């Protein structure tokens, strides 16, 4: 199920809100769900420290006490977005940590519970590329036959040297293998990348973007590297061992990335936000709307749009 649909929106990139409105004819919102998963990079299977930028606390719900059921989390989120945003349909977003890291039967019970809720039209499942067995992929592909399903892979960079530096505990080859096995006419794939990672420059980021542009991927989330209290990266920042990108460099690079991505790739995120209680830097990132507006202005200043430099001879297989 390709994300290509008639586009009507004011953005110079294919934003998720417009994509869903064009596809479903109404306002659609993701409802974050914390189903209690952990991560193999935290529970000792691969490691115990996690990625150097992750504080390991999980969702705000997890910090407040015992987790409500999936049904209750969706009910609360549905009421909020109906009342505040006029949302009509919803995607259950299994967001916290690695949401395929459990036996397939356990996953099915959780996903079924979410899909049984009123006005939930699909799933978005966040995971690692080394945590998607063929059995799990088969389950998601079955759902995708008649539901709107996204599989979200945390990649961050296509460069193994960077993945090692940030303690991801997986390789680029594992990501490429996971994407190849996940390809299906109905299942949609989204990949997360981070700009400003330690040791990476503009060329490194563009190589990551170019690789994703050549793959059968329908969506992307572009994140900004944040220094957070309680993380290895945060400690490096406080010791003066890490330089974070200024806003101008981030905005320029985001626009460069958008130019080479396929014009139909859905842009699900363009910056990072949240974490206000443990946020250290960069200071400019604390105002998400200011960053998004700066990206819009830069696209307008250059008079460019997503996909302007996309190489049509590298069309992604489906």
């Amino acid at each position: 199920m390709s994300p290509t649909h008639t586009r009507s929106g004011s953005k110079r990139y294919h934003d998720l809100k417009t994509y869903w409105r064009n596809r479903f004819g109404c306002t659609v919102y993701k409802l974050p769900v914390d189903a209690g998963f952990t991560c193999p990079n935290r529970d000792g299977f691969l490691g115990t420290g996690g990625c150097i930028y992750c504080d390991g606390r999980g969702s705000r719900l997890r910090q407040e006490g015992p987790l409500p059921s999936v049904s209750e989390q969706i009910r609360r989120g549905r009421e909020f977005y109906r009342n505040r945003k006029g949302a009509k349909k919803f995607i259950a977003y299994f967001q916290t940590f690695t949401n395929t890291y459990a036996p397939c039967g356990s996953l099915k019970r959780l996903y079924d519970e979410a899909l049984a809720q009123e006005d939930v039209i699909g799933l978005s499942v966040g995971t690692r590329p080394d945590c998607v067995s063929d059995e799990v992929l088969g389950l998601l592909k079955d759902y995708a036959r008649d539901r709107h399903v996204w599989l979200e892979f945390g990649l961050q960079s296509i460069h193994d040297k960077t993945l090692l530096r940030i303690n991801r505990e997986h390789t680029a080859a594992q990501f490429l293998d996971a994407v190849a096995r996940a390809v299906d006419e109905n299942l949609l794939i989204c990949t997360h990348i981070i700009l400003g990672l330690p040791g990476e420059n503009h060329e490194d980021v563009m190589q990551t973007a170019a690789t994703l542009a050549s793959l059968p991927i329908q969506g992307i989330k572009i994140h900004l590297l944040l220094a957070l209290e309680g993380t290895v990266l945060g400690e490096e920042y406080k010791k003066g061992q890490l330089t974070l990108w200024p806003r101008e460099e981030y905005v320029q690079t985001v626009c460069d990335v958008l130019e080479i991505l396929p014009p139909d790739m859905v842009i699900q995120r363009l910056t990072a936000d949240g974490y206000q209680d443990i946020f250290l830097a960069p200071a400019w990132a604390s105002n998400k709307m200011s960053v998004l507006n700066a990206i819009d202005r830069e696209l307008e200043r250059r008079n460019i749009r997503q996909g302007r430099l996309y190489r049509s001879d590298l069309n992604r297989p489906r």
Side-chain angles (χ1 to χ4, degrees):
M1 189 178 297
S2 168
T4 306
H5 291 270
T6 302
R7 292 173 57 182
S8 60
S10 59
K11 298 290 186 183
R12 289 175 176 259
Y13 54 88
H14 194 187
D15 67 290
L16 182 62
K17 184 177 180 179
T18 301
Y19 162 65
W20 273 336
R21 185 181 297 118
N22 290 341
R23 178 160 187 167
F24 297 110
C26 64
T27 300
V28 178
Y29 265 85
K30 276 183 166 182
L31 302 178
V33 173
D34 184 342
F37 291 101
T38 182
C39 171
N41 199 13
R42 286 197 167 275
D43 71 357
F45 185 77
L46 295 175
T48 56
C51 303
I52 66 170
Y53 49 78
C54 179
D55 71 292
R57 298 182 305 170
S59 70
R60 184 171 287 106
L61 277 178
R62 190 174 298 204
Q63 298 164 41
E64 294 172 351
L67 284 172
S69 67
V70 168
S71 303
E72 177 61 15
Q73 290 182 50
I74 289 175
R75 185 194 66 78
R76 294 179 189 178
R78 186 175 58 219
E79 287 185 3
F80 176 85
Y81 285 110
R82 274 177 176 169
N83 295 334
R84 300 288 185 91
K85 305 292 185 179
K88 303 296 184 184
K89 301 294 182 181
F90 303 93
I91 304 294
Y93 178 23
F94 286 82
Q95 180 181 28
T96 307
F97 293 129
T98 306
N99 294 272
T100 58
Y101 189 44
C104 200
S106 299
L107 296 177
K108 186 176 187 303
R109 285 192 293 273
L110 291 168
Y111 301 159
D112 283 351
E113 182 179 354
L115 288 169
Q117 306 311 304
E118 180 183 356
D119 291 330
V120 171
I121 58 174
L123 303 171
S124 193
V125 179
T127 190
R128 294 167 53 94
D130 56 343
C131 288
V132 282
S133 67
D134 288 342
E135 184 181 15
V136 169
L137 289 175
L139 175 65
L140 293 173
K141 290 174 184 180
D142 284 344
Y143 286 126
R145 292 176 182 174
D146 56 8
R147 299 293 189 123
H148 187 71
V149 180
W150 285 89
L151 177 60
E152 300 193 24
F153 286 124
L155 170 63
Q156 320 319 348
S157 172
I158 202 63
H159 303 285
D160 281 337
K161 63 175 184 178
T162 303
L163 298 178
L164 181 63
R165 169 71 173 84
I166 63 176
N167 199 43
R168 282 291 296 174
E169 295 289 358
H170 70 72
T171 65
Q174 286 175 296
F175 166 74
L176 295 173
D177 171 71
V179 169
R181 290 185 296 110
V183 170
D184 179 83
E185 63 179 348
N186 297 315
L187 183 63
L188 299 167
I189 302 170
C190 178
T191 300
H192 298 213
I193 64 173
I194 297 176
L195 274 56
L197 289 167
E200 289 209 346
N201 56 27
H202 183 271
E203 181 180 354
D204 293 321
V205 172
M206 297 308 291
Q207 288 173 357
T208 294
T211 299
L212 299 185
S214 71
L215 294 173
I217 292 170
Q218 293 76 42
I220 189 171
K221 287 185 176 179
I222 302 174
H223 297 263
L224 163 68
L225 183 67
L226 300 178
L228 305 176
E229 193 71 63
T231 68
V232 172
L233 191 100
E235 290 304 307
E236 291 182 3
Y237 173 77
K238 289 193 291 184
K239 293 176 181 177
Q241 299 170 347
L242 177 72
T243 301
L244 299 174
W245 280 11
R247 190 174 85 159
E248 181 179 1
E249 183 174 7
Y250 183 78
V251 169
Q252 293 279 349
T253 305
V254 167
C255 294
D256 292 342
V257 167
L258 289 174
E259 275 196 295
I260 70 170
L261 296 178
D264 63 339
M265 185 178 282
V266 182
I267 310 303
Q268 295 206 18
R269 180 177 286 274
L270 282 179
T271 187
D273 59 355
Y275 311 108
Q276 292 305 310
D277 60 328
I278 57 171
F279 180 82
L280 294 175
W284 57 265
S286 62
N287 189 334
K288 176 182 176 181
M289 286 310 304
S290 176
V291 179
L292 294 176
N293 289 337
I295 292 170
D296 287 341
R297 287 194 301 270
E298 180 62 16
L299 291 170
E300 292 172 5
R301 186 190 70 79
R302 295 194 204 177
N303 192 26
I304 61 173
R305 291 181 176 274
Q306 176 185 340
R308 187 179 76 91
L309 300 179
Y310 172 59
R311 293 278 302 279
S312 60
D313 58 318
L314 297 178
N315 282 337
R316 298 160 293 155
R318 263 317 259 170

